[in-house]
Amino acid sequence: MKKELTLDRFENWMQAVILSPLGVKGAVAHYADEYGISPAEFESLVPAGPELTGSDRLGIYARMIGLRFMESMDEDFLGVAALVGKERFRELAKQYLCDHPSRAHSLNQLGAGFADWLASSTLDLEHQELASELARLERAILDVYDGPDASSLSVDDLLALPRERWIETRFAPSPSLQLFECAYPASAYLSKVFAGETPGTPEPAASYVCVHRSNWRVSRTDLTREEYLLLRALFRGVPLASAFEAALADDSADVEGLMASIAETFESWTAMQFFRSAEL
Amino acid sequence: MTNRWNLPDLGLGLGLRSPHYDYVLEHEPDVAWFEIISESYLIDGGWALHVLDRVAERYPIAMHGVSMSIGTTDPIDFDYLEQLKALAKRCKAVWLGDHICWTGVAGKNTHDLLPVPYTEETLAHVVERVRIVQDFLERPLVLENPSTYVEFGHSSMSEQEWIARLLEEADCALLLDVNNVFVTARNHGLDVRAWLDAIPYDRVVQVHIAGHTDKGTHIIDTHIGPVIDEVWSIYEDVMRRTENCSTLLEWDAEIPAFQVVAEELAKAEAFRYRSSVRP
């Protein structure tokens, strides 16, 4: 006796067919046994319309979904596409979406796992590490844009702190801020892409960047290694004195470079709304 | 005719879209109300939510979602509904809705509005889910008829009959998208007026108008460009049947300047119902 076509089985079958990279006809054949819907039965399940065959009609959904997904990935990862080339980027995006179909309510989350996927996958991809770093930064720009709001420490608040007690101060980060340590100058590469340039592939060179939001606008601010380590330690909740120790622990640390203008640096970071609060 | 919930006729409104944020904040244009895509604002913070807060201080807001997936066989996602409820409270939404469709199953989201087969089984399934969701949200769901590109051989009734029964049996409201009626009718060779005749108009609380893309063999509901004359004609018919209700112009791709969209919306005024009975 033929299995009843329940709504659950129907929806799972239809989704498998329209998301399949095989195309509708290929997918109908591929999933025939799994869902108990043969190509012959397909003709009566999805009948032809006035102008189009059943495959054509179902194919409209498959095509629109593919276009919508690709448009979203194109918009979100301009830097990765510039690095690997548009055609290769689309191959990668398709593969990523097969491995990570959307499970979020918003299309904005479609590429949320792309950087990790690029980093961990056994891809035949030149410059894989840089591609992953670019994806991580590009994703951070989106996340910081929609990140949580909070009041921020003002420069006046900062300057009102007693100087002799700065070392005891704990600086809490803005909740939307993100710090990155990269093996390549990924942020500089992105700046060139966003400016409409076609940059060459950079050589490896450690870089440090803060992605943050001030007055609703997302910015990327380059950091020195010492500044990055200092902020990272601060944002783990330790007081400034301990953060300095962490930043300067390495023999090669540029102590003079960090300390020469530290007051101005903190003022600048505060003006850019890096900090939510400073507490003694 | 008033709808059974006495939800107001807000007049002519537009979708609140990011390319227009600056214009809307600066000029506070003469638009009666705005509709938002709910999921675009289910975020932690940032510019978009700030704009929504500002706009909601000045204009009525209707929430229109794309991921409720009321027709899926997956369990109802109450965390998502909780977020919708919080957003509705935040922007003082006049109503909240989504589409008569499913968007995915087995935890996936295709981000497309997929039609259900019009059977007794799906009707019972969707009626039950709508009732649960309405109880949770404590307000009627305003569900939109989708554009469809496919029909299913195992459907046992027409789309309009299925929708009319859904509205009555689930006690929910209809967002009647007149462009979608046109698109679906053209794609499947259906009679628009027969479609419209089946609808209980005391359950229609909002209307969508929009442009579309004619591919020759079929029409795609792209929300691009101006509304065509045939759709204005359907709109006029629906305004007569409802004696006017809240109308929203959708323009979601190749979005032009705000003034262009507002001018297209203003054309709707000419098609609104004017009672022939004079006091």
Side-chain angles (χ1 to χ4, degrees):
Chain A
M1 184 179 169
K2 185 76 186 167
K3 216 169 33 170
E4 183 196 357
L5 181 56
T6 61
L7 181 60
D8 183 52
R9 185 159 66 93
F10 168 77
E11 288 184 346
N12 277 281
W13 167 82
M14 180 167 158
Q15 178 173 272
V17 168
I18 60 179
L19 291 183
S20 171
L22 300 171
V24 170
K25 282 184 180 169
V28 167
H30 180 79
Y31 290 112
D33 289 341
E34 185 173 343
Y35 293 101
I37 297 170
S38 70
E41 287 164 317
F42 172 80
E43 300 297 329
S44 56
L45 181 61
V46 185
E51 304 269 2
L52 301 174
T53 66
S55 294
D56 291 338
R57 296 171 104 187
L58 210 50
I60 293 170
Y61 290 98
R63 201 160 45 254
M64 288 197 304
I65 291 166
L67 287 172
R68 192 173 293 121
F69 282 176
M70 209 46 68
E71 187 178 75
S72 177
M73 294 293 285
D74 282 348
E75 283 177 9
D76 292 353
F77 298 105
L78 288 172
V80 181
L83 177 73
V84 303
K86 190 143 191 166
E87 199 174 321
R88 182 68 175 124
F89 173 76
R90 294 213 160 166
E91 289 171 5
L92 290 168
K94 277 183 190 168
Q95 200 177 332
Y96 161 73
L97 292 169
C98 282
D99 292 351
H100 292 266
S102 176
R103 294 180 181 276
H105 294 297
S106 170
L107 204 55
N108 290 345
Q109 295 301 311
L110 194 65
F114 191 47
D116 284 345
W117 180 83
L118 281 173
S120 64
S121 300
T122 50
L123 300 170
D124 177 19
L125 177 63
E126 209 178 353
H127 314 301
Q128 185 169 350
E129 187 175 12
L130 174 56
S132 173
E133 288 183 347
L134 291 171
R136 206 171 300 284
L137 280 182
E138 295 191 278
R139 184 66 222 172
I141 292 168
L142 299 174
D143 289 339
V144 170
Y145 182 77
D146 288 335
D149 300 326
S151 57
S152 54
L153 182 74
S154 71
V155 173
D156 286 346
D157 292 338
L158 177 77
L159 296 177
L161 290 169
R163 283 282 172 127
E164 68 279 8
R165 298 192 65 187
W166 267 44
I167 57 170
E168 302 167 46
T169 307
R170 295 172 197 269
F171 289 85
S174 159
S176 61
L177 176 148
Q178 296 189 31
L179 294 174
F180 292 92
E181 177 180 16
C182 301
Y184 287 81
S187 183
Y189 184 90
L190 275 187
S191 295
K192 290 177 182 169
V193 172
F194 293 164
E197 297 175 30
T198 311
T201 305
E203 294 297 318
S207 67
Y208 306 88
V209 62
C210 177
V211 183
H212 58 100
R213 194 174 77 206
S214 47
N215 301 322
W216 312 112
R217 190 178 293 273
V218 177
S219 304
R220 283 168 287 120
T221 297
D222 292 330
L223 304 171
T224 65
R225 179 170 185 274
E226 289 76 15
E227 289 170 342
Y228 166 78
L229 292 173
L230 177 70
L231 286 172
R232 192 179 67 170
L234 271 180
F235 295 162
R236 286 175 178 163
V238 303
L240 188 56
S242 304
F244 274 125
E245 283 175 21
L248 302 173
D250 195 328
D251 287 344
S252 64
D254 180 7
V255 179
E256 286 183 10
L258 180 63
M259 301 308 290
S261 56
I262 193 66
E264 291 81 0
T265 300
F266 264 78
E267 271 192 49
S268 169
W269 287 346
T270 304
M272 290 189 288
Q273 302 178 352
F274 277 25
F275 305 118
R276 188 177 58 198
S277 62
E279 290 179 5
L280 288 168
Chain B
M1 176 188 289
T2 55
N3 58 68
R4 60 191 298 111
W5 300 274
N6 289 318
L7 291 166
D9 171 15
L10 298 172
L12 304 180
L14 286 175
L16 181 63
R17 303 293 182 258
S18 56
H20 296 152
Y21 282 172
D22 290 339
Y23 184 90
V24 172
L25 291 186
E26 186 179 343
H27 298 278
E28 296 195 341
D30 185 20
V31 171
W33 59 288
F34 282 99
E35 181 188 85
I36 61 167
I37 302 296
S38 309
E39 289 77 8
S40 298
Y41 300 90
L42 298 182
I43 49 182
D44 293 328
W47 177 237
L49 264 184
H50 171 73
V51 171
L52 176 60
D53 288 343
R54 294 270 311 274
V55 172
E57 289 169 4
R58 165 80 172 76
Y59 300 91
I61 301 287
M63 283 171 54
H64 184 56
V66 290
S67 284
M68 187 176 285
S69 199
I70 199 71
T72 185
T73 51
D74 277 358
I76 292 173
D77 184 343
F78 288 97
D79 289 341
Y80 166 74
L81 295 182
E82 194 66 66
Q83 292 178 60
L84 286 182
K85 201 171 181 177
L87 181 64
K89 186 177 177 188
R90 179 174 184 146
C91 69
K92 303 181 191 69
V94 286
W95 54 77
L96 181 165
D98 203 287
H99 298 80
I100 300 170
C101 73
W102 59 288
T103 59
V105 70
K108 297 178 186 175
N109 192 346
T110 67
H111 299 279
D112 207 342
L113 309 172
L114 307 171
V116 292
Y118 299 123
T119 65
E120 295 289 345
E121 181 202 6
T122 57
L123 182 62
H125 175 71
V126 178
V127 164
E128 183 186 11
R129 287 170 64 93
V130 170
R131 285 187 170 279
I132 292 169
V133 170
Q134 289 184 146
D135 285 348
F136 186 86
L137 295 175
E138 300 175 288
R139 53 170 78 210
L141 263 184
V142 182
L143 293 173
E144 175 183 339
N145 55 298
S147 282
T148 66
Y149 311 104
V150 68
E151 295 168 294
F152 301 118
H154 61 310
S155 287
S156 57
M157 62 189 101
S158 67
E159 178 183 67
Q160 62 270 27
E161 182 187 353
W162 191 95
I163 288 176
R165 285 186 57 191
L166 170 69
L167 298 174
E168 298 290 347
E169 291 176 31
D171 194 19
C172 63
L174 180 65
L175 191 173
L176 206 173
D177 188 316
V178 296
N179 181 60
N180 287 353
V181 174
F182 178 78
V183 169
T184 296
R186 259 286 299 276
N187 286 342
H188 308 321
L190 306 176
D191 178 353
V192 166
R193 304 299 157 184
W195 201 103
L196 294 177
D197 286 346
I199 298 303
Y201 286 88
D202 63 334
R203 293 187 175 276
V204 177
V205 303
Q206 186 188 334
V207 167
H208 271 173
I209 47 178
H212 56 245
T213 302
D214 193 332
K215 309 289 276 187
T217 55
H218 60 285
I219 300 178
I220 303 281
D221 177 33
T222 49
H223 299 175
I224 289 178
V227 179
I228 66 166
D229 288 346
E230 290 101 316
V231 173
W232 282 127
S233 169
I234 302 169
Y235 174 68
E236 186 171 30
D237 190 345
V238 169
M239 287 300 100
R240 183 181 53 75
R241 292 173 192 248
T242 58
E243 296 181 2
N244 291 334
C245 76
S246 304
T247 298
L248 189 287
L249 171 69
E250 296 181 295
W251 198 320
D252 293 322
E254 300 172 11
I255 299 176
F258 187 89
Q259 296 91 323
V260 175
V261 182
E263 281 169 19
E264 186 64 19
L265 173 69
K267 293 178 187 171
E269 194 56 51
F271 301 100
R272 302 263 287 175
Y273 175 71
R274 286 173 184 77
S275 171
S276 58
V277 180
R278 302 292 181 206

